[in-house]
Amino acid sequence: DLRGFEVVRQVRDLARAQNSAALAQLAQRLASAERGGADPFAKVKGLVEDMIEKLEAEAEADATKKAYCDKELAETNEKKTDKTAEIGKLTTKIDQMTARSTTLKEEVAA
């Protein structure tokens, strides 16, 4: 794999430039893993893939929760509008009946 070889070469060059035994050892391990066909980053790739899956699942759960909340909020607002209109109608009816009651009381008193 050309990418693997390039990674090994870059780490080896960096080890020489930094005069670092740890980097040289890492380059050697990467080279042996590359020759063996094993992916030295398999564990990291697996962890990243697991994290992506977890984040996608959380995003899906959040989207589901948001959709539920949006639906409930819309229904609540609709009910509130209906109840406000009903209150207006009943208030008007009470005012009319109060006026009628006052009129009838005046007629009885007269």
Side-chain angles (χ1 to χ4, degrees):
D1 181 51
L2 186 57
R3 286 184 295 161
F5 176 74
E6 184 64 25
V7 169
V8 171
R9 188 185 66 73
Q10 287 182 355
V11 172
R12 191 175 292 143
D13 291 347
L14 185 60
R16 286 187 193 125
Q18 298 292 321
N19 197 18
S20 171
L23 285 175
Q25 186 178 17
L26 176 62
Q28 187 177 14
R29 285 184 182 170
L30 289 172
S32 66
E34 185 66 28
R35 276 185 245 113
D39 185 0
F41 302 108
K43 184 175 181 180
V44 173
K45 287 179 183 176
L47 292 172
V48 169
E49 288 172 356
D50 290 345
M51 180 60 73
I52 289 171
E53 288 175 10
K54 180 181 174 188
L55 291 172
E56 286 175 345
E58 287 177 0
E60 185 176 333
D62 288 346
T64 302
K65 187 175 180 181
K66 182 180 181 330
Y68 171 79
C69 289
D70 288 346
K71 176 182 156 270
E72 290 295 315
L73 186 60
E75 289 175 3
T76 301
N77 286 336
E78 185 178 340
K79 285 179 185 176
K80 181 182 175 189
T81 302
D82 291 345
K83 296 298 181 188
T84 302
E86 186 176 346
I87 288 171
K89 288 177 186 176
L90 291 174
T91 301
T92 302
K93 193 171 185 177
I94 288 171
D95 290 343
Q96 288 173 349
M97 291 191 160
T98 302
R100 174 97 170 119
S101 173
T102 304
T103 305
L104 291 174
K105 284 180 185 176
E106 290 174 358
E107 287 179 7
V108 168

